[in-house]
Amino acid sequence: MKVENGHVTLPRIGRVRLKERGYLPTTVPLRSVTVSERSGRWYVSLSVEEERPSPVPPMGETVGVDLGVNALATVSDGTVIPNPGALLARQRKLQHLQREVSRKRKGSQNREKAKRRLSRCHGKVADLRKDALHKATTMLARTKPVIVVESLLPANMLRNHHLARSLSDASFGEFVRQLEYKCRWYGSRLVQADPFYPSTKRCSSCGNVKAEMPLWERTYSCPSCGLVLDRDLNASRNLAMLAASSAESLNACGGERFMPNGRCSPVNQEPSIIGVTNV
Ligand SMILES: [Zn+2]
């Protein structure tokens, strides 16, 4: 097992050229190498041992983050992280390729070929989404000291038949997974809201909670105080406020403990929690 710039030497297989280069660790000791295949492409993943300096928490403000259907994420400081254009284009192509497969005769060569094209496109879409999520989570974990996100109820996942929503649900799990380890790297703190906290239905200005907030309503208008605000920005501001109100109580009981009747729980001990975008 050896890694050089541009090549990796594997047991039994030998020296293999790498398509991507320049970022693999070549100077630290290798612990293991895993080779895998996904939709016709081969990947090598390396496990290395490297010491990280203990992180200094970033300065800046506490933020809430809402993962949406239209935008990738809306941050309570007003930042909107859009879905990359390449991802949207590929998603349209995916629908086209799906139709192509169903048009071909079952068992035919052409159907097999169309299936392979579809599978490659699926892989590309997954990569593009993951890449966009990585950029967003790195930016957040590096610059925000406290990041509040929603939680997902398993029941919500089952109830959810909408394609766009189920895609964003899948993204949410990955989003939280990345934030968890990056917050540890960069010294920031991840807080996951109580699953019953009405971040979408609550007014971020006066605290009034609406009975209904259907998905198609893109703007939050408050009947009580007259606030009119983008739906996702309102939700992210509610999440950010949650951290402020929970900060004293969290500190009071030692910081990292789950509180059954509190509004927030630090996420560190529960790495498998999956979340939802809008409840
Ligand atoms: Zn209001």
Side-chain angles (χ1 to χ4, degrees):
M1 274 180 348
K2 197 168 75 168
V3 181
E4 304 148 86
N5 198 17
H7 290 86
V8 58
T9 308
L10 300 167
R12 283 191 294 175
I13 298 168
R15 199 156 181 262
V16 181
R17 192 174 60 87
L18 297 167
K19 181 123 184 186
E20 290 177 40
R21 55 192 66 188
Y23 62 86
L24 289 181
T26 51
T27 52
V28 282
L30 272 180
R31 274 173 46 190
S32 68
V33 175
T34 312
V35 177
S36 59
E37 186 261 358
R38 188 161 53 83
S39 30
R41 284 175 191 276
W42 289 86
Y43 298 87
V44 60
S45 79
L46 311 169
S47 167
V48 297
E49 231 171 285
E50 195 178 22
E51 239 173 71
R52 298 186 78 92
S54 43
V56 180
M59 306 291 279
E61 61 176 304
T62 291
V63 289
V65 182
D66 184 77
L67 278 215
V69 176
N70 296 332
L72 178 79
T74 304
V75 188
S76 57
D77 64 6
T79 311
V80 177
I81 305 168
N83 273 309
L87 176 64
L88 301 176
R90 286 279 175 164
Q91 278 172 342
R92 281 193 294 275
K93 193 180 172 192
L94 200 61
Q95 289 176 342
H96 170 76
L97 289 174
Q98 243 142 13
R99 280 196 300 273
E100 288 288 290
V101 171
S102 56
R103 277 203 200 110
K104 307 278 191 262
R105 191 165 46 84
K106 275 192 182 151
S108 68
Q109 283 285 344
N110 280 338
R111 191 180 168 99
E112 283 311 302
K113 271 192 233 163
K115 269 189 186 168
R116 269 200 296 279
R117 278 197 295 272
L118 177 63
S119 144
R120 286 205 174 199
C121 190
H122 264 300
K124 188 70 192 172
V125 164
D127 286 347
L128 284 166
R129 182 176 296 118
K130 212 167 177 180
D131 181 62
L133 286 172
H134 268 297
K135 284 176 180 144
T137 52
T138 297
M139 183 278 281
L140 289 167
R142 264 191 173 153
T143 57
K144 314 295 177 195
V146 183
I147 302 157
V148 191
V149 294
E150 283 177 277
S151 305
L152 181 67
L153 286 171
N156 285 341
M157 270 181 111
L158 296 177
R159 208 167 47 218
N160 182 0
H161 298 299
H162 198 278
L163 175 70
R165 285 300 310 283
S166 59
L167 284 176
S168 63
D169 284 355
S171 293
F172 194 92
E174 177 62 17
F175 184 76
V176 173
R177 189 190 72 81
Q178 291 178 8
L179 271 182
E180 273 169 0
Y181 73 78
K182 289 182 187 179
C183 282
R184 274 199 296 275
W185 283 1
Y186 298 117
S188 41
R189 193 163 70 95
L190 178 64
V191 175
Q192 211 161 344
D194 184 315
F196 295 100
Y197 181 63
S199 61
T200 308
K201 292 175 187 164
R202 184 181 183 274
C203 170
S204 60
S205 175
C206 72
N208 179 52
V209 177
K210 280 187 176 188
E212 285 297 327
M213 187 67 195
L215 200 62
W216 48 264
E217 248 178 65
R218 299 310 311 162
T219 305
Y220 188 97
S221 354
C222 178
S224 171
C225 74
L227 172 85
V228 177
L229 194 64
D230 173 74
R231 170 204 183 92
D232 298 337
L233 186 57
N234 180 61
S236 65
R237 284 191 185 170
N238 279 324
L239 288 166
M241 266 179 250
L242 210 48
S245 64
S246 78
E248 302 100 51
S249 46
L250 280 173
N251 290 340
C253 63
E256 300 296 337
R257 287 189 53 127
F258 177 74
M259 306 195 310
N261 42 7
R263 299 259 56 159
C264 289
S265 58
V267 132
N268 303 0
Q269 316 95 308
E270 296 269 322
S272 58
I273 289 178
I274 313 171
V276 78
T277 50
N278 300 299
V279 179

